[in-house]
PDB file of all heavy atoms in Angstrom:
ATOM      1  N   LEU A   1      57.844  53.846 102.443  1.00 87.00           N
ATOM      2  CA  LEU A   1      56.997  52.690 102.766  1.00 87.00           C
ATOM      3  C   LEU A   1      57.818  51.464 103.120  1.00 87.00           C
ATOM      4  O   LEU A   1      57.545  50.763 104.093  1.00 87.00           O
ATOM      5  CB  LEU A   1      56.028  52.436 101.601  1.00 87.00           C
ATOM      6  CG  LEU A   1      55.040  51.257 101.858  1.00 87.00           C
ATOM      7  CD1 LEU A   1      54.179  51.494 103.090  1.00 87.00           C
ATOM      8  CD2 LEU A   1      54.187  51.133 100.630  1.00 87.00           C
ATOM      9  N   LYS A   2      58.848  51.248 102.326  1.00 90.00           N
ATOM     10  CA  LYS A   2      59.739  50.115 102.546  1.00 90.00           C
ATOM     11  C   LYS A   2      60.412  50.199 103.914  1.00 90.00           C
ATOM     12  O   LYS A   2      60.537  49.292 104.715  1.00 90.00           O
ATOM     13  CB  LYS A   2      60.768  50.019 101.463  1.00 90.00           C
ATOM     14  CG  LYS A   2      61.631  48.734 101.487  1.00 90.00           C
ATOM     15  CD  LYS A   2      62.577  48.713 100.299  1.00 90.00           C
ATOM     16  CE  LYS A   2      63.456  47.480 100.372  1.00 90.00           C
ATOM     17  NZ  LYS A   2      64.349  47.467  99.221  1.00 90.00           N
ATOM     18  N   LYS A   3      60.874  51.435 104.212  1.00 88.00           N
ATOM     19  CA  LYS A   3      61.618  51.685 105.484  1.00 88.00           C
ATOM     20  C   LYS A   3      60.741  51.463 106.678  1.00 88.00           C
ATOM     21  O   LYS A   3      61.072  50.713 107.605  1.00 88.00           O
ATOM     22  CB  LYS A   3      62.070  53.135 105.488  1.00 88.00           C
ATOM     23  CG  LYS A   3      62.676  53.554 106.824  1.00 88.00           C
ATOM     24  CD  LYS A   3      62.847  55.119 106.813  1.00 88.00           C
ATOM     25  CE  LYS A   3      63.038  55.610 108.270  1.00 88.00           C
ATOM     26  NZ  LYS A   3      63.064  57.030 108.379  1.00 88.00           N
ATOM     27  N   TYR A   4      59.536  52.022 106.667  1.00 85.00           N
ATOM     28  CA  TYR A   4      58.600  51.890 107.853  1.00 85.00           C
ATOM     29  C   TYR A   4      58.049  50.444 107.942  1.00 85.00           C
ATOM     30  O   TYR A   4      57.741  49.992 109.027  1.00 85.00           O
ATOM     31  CB  TYR A   4      57.472  52.951 107.777  1.00 85.00           C
ATOM     32  CG  TYR A   4      58.041  54.317 108.099  1.00 85.00           C
ATOM     33  CD1 TYR A   4      58.203  55.271 107.194  1.00 85.00           C
ATOM     34  CD2 TYR A   4      58.213  54.639 109.508  1.00 85.00           C
ATOM     35  CE1 TYR A   4      58.655  56.548 107.556  1.00 85.00           C
ATOM     36  CE2 TYR A   4      58.652  55.882 109.829  1.00 85.00           C
ATOM     37  CZ  TYR A   4      58.837  56.811 108.857  1.00 85.00           C
ATOM     38  OH  TYR A   4      59.286  58.081 109.234  1.00 85.00           O
ATOM     39  N   THR A   5      57.846  49.786 106.823  1.00 87.00           N
ATOM     40  CA  THR A   5      57.379  48.379 106.827  1.00 87.00           C
ATOM     41  C   THR A   5      58.438  47.549 107.524  1.00 87.00           C
ATOM     42  O   THR A   5      58.118  46.663 108.332  1.00 87.00           O
ATOM     43  CB  THR A   5      57.070  47.874 105.446  1.00 87.00           C
ATOM     44  OG1 THR A   5      56.096  48.717 104.824  1.00 87.00           O
ATOM     45  CG2 THR A   5      56.513  46.473 105.426  1.00 87.00           C
ATOM     46  N   HIS A   6      59.663  47.712 107.057  1.00 85.00           N
ATOM     47  CA  HIS A   6      60.790  46.964 107.712  1.00 85.00           C
ATOM     48  C   HIS A   6      60.860  47.252 109.223  1.00 85.00           C
ATOM     49  O   HIS A   6      61.081  46.285 110.031  1.00 85.00           O
ATOM     50  CB  HIS A   6      62.094  47.352 106.994  1.00 85.00           C
ATOM     51  CG  HIS A   6      63.315  46.603 107.548  1.00 85.00           C
ATOM     52  ND1 HIS A   6      63.532  45.305 107.321  1.00 85.00           N
ATOM     53  CD2 HIS A   6      64.310  47.047 108.379  1.00 85.00           C
ATOM     54  CE1 HIS A   6      64.654  44.891 107.921  1.00 85.00           C
ATOM     55  NE2 HIS A   6      65.124  45.987 108.588  1.00 85.00           N
ATOM     56  N   GLU A   7      60.761  48.497 109.545  1.00 81.00           N
ATOM     57  CA  GLU A   7      60.810  48.842 110.987  1.00 81.00           C
ATOM     58  C   GLU A   7      59.699  48.249 111.750  1.00 81.00           C
ATOM     59  O   GLU A   7      59.869  47.714 112.900  1.00 81.00           O
ATOM     60  CB  GLU A   7      60.780  50.380 111.079  1.00 81.00           C
ATOM     61  CG  GLU A   7      61.231  50.896 112.465  1.00 81.00           C
ATOM     62  CD  GLU A   7      61.352  52.432 112.551  1.00 81.00           C
ATOM     63  OE1 GLU A   7      61.743  52.944 111.527  1.00 81.00           O
ATOM     64  OE2 GLU A   7      61.134  53.014 113.621  1.00 81.00           O
ATOM     65  N   LEU A   8      58.473  48.187 111.193  1.00 80.00           N
ATOM     66  CA  LEU A   8      57.346  47.620 111.794  1.00 80.00           C
ATOM     67  C   LEU A   8      57.489  46.117 112.010  1.00 80.00           C
ATOM     68  O   LEU A   8      57.193  45.561 113.125  1.00 80.00           O
ATOM     69  CB  LEU A   8      56.119  47.890 110.967  1.00 80.00           C
ATOM     70  CG  LEU A   8      54.707  47.537 111.612  1.00 80.00           C
ATOM     71  CD1 LEU A   8      54.516  48.331 112.889  1.00 80.00           C
ATOM     72  CD2 LEU A   8      53.608  47.804 110.616  1.00 80.00           C
ATOM     73  N   ASP A   9      58.156  45.439 110.993  1.00 79.00           N
ATOM     74  CA  ASP A   9      58.423  44.006 111.123  1.00 79.00           C
ATOM     75  C   ASP A   9      59.397  43.733 112.263  1.00 79.00           C
ATOM     76  O   ASP A   9      59.268  42.751 112.992  1.00 79.00           O
ATOM     77  CB  ASP A   9      58.971  43.452 109.811  1.00 79.00           C
ATOM     78  CG  ASP A   9      57.896  43.441 108.716  1.00 79.00           C
ATOM     79  OD1 ASP A   9      56.695  43.489 109.048  1.00 79.00           O
ATOM     80  OD2 ASP A   9      58.291  43.401 107.479  1.00 79.00           O
ATOM     81  N   ALA A  10      60.413  44.630 112.415  1.00 73.00           N
ATOM     82  CA  ALA A  10      61.397  44.510 113.399  1.00 73.00           C
ATOM     83  C   ALA A  10      60.798  44.663 114.835  1.00 73.00           C
ATOM     84  O   ALA A  10      61.181  44.018 115.788  1.00 73.00           O
ATOM     85  CB  ALA A  10      62.544  45.462 113.228  1.00 73.00           C
ATOM     86  N   LEU A  11      59.863  45.559 114.932  1.00 70.00           N
ATOM     87  CA  LEU A  11      59.171  45.780 116.185  1.00 70.00           C
ATOM     88  C   LEU A  11      58.234  44.650 116.587  1.00 70.00           C
ATOM     89  O   LEU A  11      57.979  44.407 117.811  1.00 70.00           O
ATOM     90  CB  LEU A  11      58.317  47.110 116.136  1.00 70.00           C
ATOM     91  CG  LEU A  11      59.113  48.378 116.075  1.00 70.00           C
ATOM     92  CD1 LEU A  11      58.205  49.568 115.766  1.00 70.00           C
ATOM     93  CD2 LEU A  11      59.830  48.663 117.364  1.00 70.00           C
ATOM     94  N   GLY A  12      57.819  43.923 115.614  1.00 69.00           N
ATOM     95  CA  GLY A  12      56.904  42.768 115.871  1.00 69.00           C
ATOM     96  C   GLY A  12      55.492  43.204 116.091  1.00 69.00           C
ATOM     97  O   GLY A  12      55.190  44.323 116.339  1.00 69.00           O
ATOM     98  N   PRO A  13      54.575  42.179 116.048  1.00 67.00           N
ATOM     99  CA  PRO A  13      53.182  42.510 116.213  1.00 67.00           C
ATOM    100  C   PRO A  13      52.829  42.866 117.713  1.00 67.00           C
ATOM    101  O   PRO A  13      53.676  42.589 118.540  1.00 67.00           O
ATOM    102  CB  PRO A  13      52.438  41.244 115.771  1.00 67.00           C
ATOM    103  CG  PRO A  13      53.445  40.134 116.059  1.00 67.00           C
ATOM    104  CD  PRO A  13      54.775  40.746 115.810  1.00 67.00           C
ATOM    105  N   GLU A  14      51.684  43.408 117.922  1.00 66.00           N
ATOM    106  CA  GLU A  14      51.214  43.683 119.295  1.00 66.00           C
ATOM    107  C   GLU A  14      51.145  42.320 120.068  1.00 66.00           C
ATOM    108  O   GLU A  14      50.910  41.269 119.455  1.00 66.00           O
ATOM    109  CB  GLU A  14      49.908  44.394 119.314  1.00 66.00           C
ATOM    110  CG  GLU A  14      50.025  45.814 118.785  1.00 66.00           C
ATOM    111  CD  GLU A  14      48.740  46.558 118.989  1.00 66.00           C
ATOM    112  OE1 GLU A  14      48.236  46.697 120.080  1.00 66.00           O
ATOM    113  OE2 GLU A  14      48.202  47.103 117.939  1.00 66.00           O
ATOM    114  N   LEU A  15      51.236  42.408 121.369  1.00 58.00           N
ATOM    115  CA  LEU A  15      51.256  41.218 122.211  1.00 58.00           C
ATOM    116  C   LEU A  15      50.047  40.341 121.960  1.00 58.00           C
ATOM    117  O   LEU A  15      48.879  40.722 122.390  1.00 58.00           O
ATOM    118  CB  LEU A  15      51.291  41.671 123.706  1.00 58.00           C
ATOM    119  CG  LEU A  15      51.610  40.497 124.689  1.00 58.00           C
ATOM    120  CD1 LEU A  15      52.950  39.845 124.355  1.00 58.00           C
ATOM    121  CD2 LEU A  15      51.599  41.026 126.076  1.00 58.00           C
ATOM    122  N   ALA A  16      50.249  39.218 121.286  1.00 54.00           N
ATOM    123  CA  ALA A  16      49.139  38.325 120.973  1.00 54.00           C
ATOM    124  C   ALA A  16      49.495  36.895 121.508  1.00 54.00           C
ATOM    125  O   ALA A  16      48.612  36.067 121.679  1.00 54.00           O
ATOM    126  CB  ALA A  16      48.904  38.215 119.439  1.00 54.00           C
ATOM    127  N   GLU A  17      50.752  36.663 121.721  1.00 62.00           N
ATOM    128  CA  GLU A  17      51.197  35.298 122.259  1.00 62.00           C
ATOM    129  C   GLU A  17      51.118  35.259 123.773  1.00 62.00           C
ATOM    130  O   GLU A  17      51.046  36.334 124.434  1.00 62.00           O
ATOM    131  CB  GLU A  17      52.647  35.025 121.841  1.00 62.00           C
ATOM    132  CG  GLU A  17      52.879  35.160 120.343  1.00 62.00           C
ATOM    133  CD  GLU A  17      54.368  35.073 120.049  1.00 62.00           C
ATOM    134  OE1 GLU A  17      54.897  33.912 119.960  1.00 62.00           O
ATOM    135  OE2 GLU A  17      54.975  36.157 119.839  1.00 62.00           O
ATOM    136  N   SER A  18      51.153  34.074 124.324  1.00 73.00           N
ATOM    137  CA  SER A  18      51.153  33.888 125.807  1.00 73.00           C
ATOM    138  C   SER A  18      52.550  34.326 126.319  1.00 73.00           C
ATOM    139  O   SER A  18      53.588  34.171 125.599  1.00 73.00           O
ATOM    140  CB  SER A  18      50.899  32.438 126.185  1.00 73.00           C
ATOM    141  OG  SER A  18      52.011  31.636 125.672  1.00 73.00           O
ATOM    142  N   PRO A  19      52.673  34.762 127.589  1.00 74.00           N
ATOM    143  CA  PRO A  19      53.953  35.099 128.110  1.00 74.00           C
ATOM    144  C   PRO A  19      54.968  34.001 127.995  1.00 74.00           C
ATOM    145  O   PRO A  19      56.167  34.236 127.721  1.00 74.00           O
ATOM    146  CB  PRO A  19      53.596  35.423 129.559  1.00 74.00           C
ATOM    147  CG  PRO A  19      52.189  35.880 129.524  1.00 74.00           C
ATOM    148  CD  PRO A  19      51.509  35.009 128.500  1.00 74.00           C
ATOM    149  N   ALA A  20      54.527  32.737 128.287  1.00 78.00           N
ATOM    150  CA  ALA A  20      55.494  31.627 128.243  1.00 78.00           C
ATOM    151  C   ALA A  20      55.995  31.468 126.795  1.00 78.00           C
ATOM    152  O   ALA A  20      57.209  31.163 126.597  1.00 78.00           O
ATOM    153  CB  ALA A  20      54.776  30.314 128.697  1.00 78.00           C
ATOM    154  N   SER A  21      55.176  31.626 125.835  1.00 79.00           N
ATOM    155  CA  SER A  21      55.586  31.532 124.392  1.00 79.00           C
ATOM    156  C   SER A  21      56.588  32.604 124.045  1.00 79.00           C
ATOM    157  O   SER A  21      57.577  32.325 123.319  1.00 79.00           O
ATOM    158  CB  SER A  21      54.346  31.602 123.524  1.00 79.00           C
ATOM    159  OG  SER A  21      54.731  31.612 122.137  1.00 79.00           O
ATOM    160  N   ILE A  22      56.394  33.801 124.570  1.00 79.00           N
ATOM    161  CA  ILE A  22      57.298  34.934 124.249  1.00 79.00           C
ATOM    162  C   ILE A  22      58.706  34.652 124.926  1.00 79.00           C
ATOM    163  O   ILE A  22      59.768  34.840 124.273  1.00 79.00           O
ATOM    164  CB  ILE A  22      56.804  36.239 124.798  1.00 79.00           C
ATOM    165  CG1 ILE A  22      55.531  36.692 124.045  1.00 79.00           C
ATOM    166  CG2 ILE A  22      57.769  37.378 124.719  1.00 79.00           C
ATOM    167  CD1 ILE A  22      54.717  37.817 124.603  1.00 79.00           C
ATOM    168  N   VAL A  23      58.662  34.192 126.151  1.00 83.00           N
ATOM    169  CA  VAL A  23      59.951  33.848 126.808  1.00 83.00           C
ATOM    170  C   VAL A  23      60.666  32.734 126.120  1.00 83.00           C
ATOM    171  O   VAL A  23      61.915  32.758 125.917  1.00 83.00           O
ATOM    172  CB  VAL A  23      59.689  33.441 128.294  1.00 83.00           C
ATOM    173  CG1 VAL A  23      60.957  32.966 128.988  1.00 83.00           C
ATOM    174  CG2 VAL A  23      59.104  34.686 129.087  1.00 83.00           C
ATOM    175  N   LEU A  24      59.941  31.702 125.768  1.00 85.00           N
ATOM    176  CA  LEU A  24      60.579  30.577 124.974  1.00 85.00           C
ATOM    177  C   LEU A  24      61.162  31.037 123.695  1.00 85.00           C
ATOM    178  O   LEU A  24      62.309  30.642 123.337  1.00 85.00           O
ATOM    179  CB  LEU A  24      59.518  29.490 124.750  1.00 85.00           C
ATOM    180  CG  LEU A  24      59.955  28.303 123.961  1.00 85.00           C
ATOM    181  CD1 LEU A  24      61.095  27.579 124.643  1.00 85.00           C
ATOM    182  CD2 LEU A  24      58.815  27.310 123.655  1.00 85.00           C
ATOM    183  N   SER A  25      60.420  31.890 122.969  1.00 83.00           N
ATOM    184  CA  SER A  25      60.886  32.447 121.692  1.00 83.00           C
ATOM    185  C   SER A  25      62.208  33.260 121.879  1.00 83.00           C
ATOM    186  O   SER A  25      63.100  33.083 121.085  1.00 83.00           O
ATOM    187  CB  SER A  25      59.801  33.258 121.028  1.00 83.00           C
ATOM    188  OG  SER A  25      60.270  33.856 119.879  1.00 83.00           O
ATOM    189  N   MET A  26      62.215  34.034 122.936  1.00 85.00           N
ATOM    190  CA  MET A  26      63.401  34.885 123.123  1.00 85.00           C
ATOM    191  C   MET A  26      64.613  34.014 123.535  1.00 85.00           C
ATOM    192  O   MET A  26      65.701  34.340 123.038  1.00 85.00           O
ATOM    193  CB  MET A  26      63.107  35.988 124.168  1.00 85.00           C
ATOM    194  CG  MET A  26      64.372  36.934 124.374  1.00 85.00           C
ATOM    195  SD  MET A  26      63.963  38.314 125.408  1.00 85.00           S
ATOM    196  CE  MET A  26      63.074  39.340 124.268  1.00 85.00           C
ATOM    197  N   ILE A  27      64.371  33.070 124.419  1.00 88.00           N
ATOM    198  CA  ILE A  27      65.511  32.193 124.846  1.00 88.00           C
ATOM    199  C   ILE A  27      66.041  31.393 123.627  1.00 88.00           C
ATOM    200  O   ILE A  27      67.279  31.286 123.451  1.00 88.00           O
ATOM    201  CB  ILE A  27      65.009  31.181 125.919  1.00 88.00           C
ATOM    202  CG1 ILE A  27      64.754  31.980 127.238  1.00 88.00           C
ATOM    203  CG2 ILE A  27      66.063  30.113 126.174  1.00 88.00           C
ATOM    204  CD1 ILE A  27      64.084  31.199 128.354  1.00 88.00           C
ATOM    205  N   THR A  28      65.158  30.868 122.791  1.00 90.00           N
ATOM    206  CA  THR A  28      65.624  30.151 121.609  1.00 90.00           C
ATOM    207  C   THR A  28      66.326  31.038 120.645  1.00 90.00           C
ATOM    208  O   THR A  28      67.431  30.652 120.076  1.00 90.00           O
ATOM    209  CB  THR A  28      64.366  29.593 120.945  1.00 90.00           C
ATOM    210  OG1 THR A  28      63.603  28.761 121.807  1.00 90.00           O
ATOM    211  CG2 THR A  28      64.796  28.733 119.727  1.00 90.00           C
TER     212      THR A  28
END
């Protein structure tokens, strides 16, 4: 459970942010 929870956190949530917000987050 710990392993898969950590892996899920690393994958991030499903696309819920705006494209501009995702780009800004990745650049930062």
Side-chain angles (χ1 to χ4, degrees):
L1 180 57
K2 186 177 179 181
K3 170 192 165 188
Y4 284 104
T5 303
H6 179 74
E7 194 171 329
L8 190 60
D9 290 341
L11 290 168
E14 291 186 58
L15 191 59
E17 304 172 81
S18 68
S21 176
I22 293 169
V23 173
L24 177 61
S25 175
M26 182 171 284
I27 290 173
T28 305

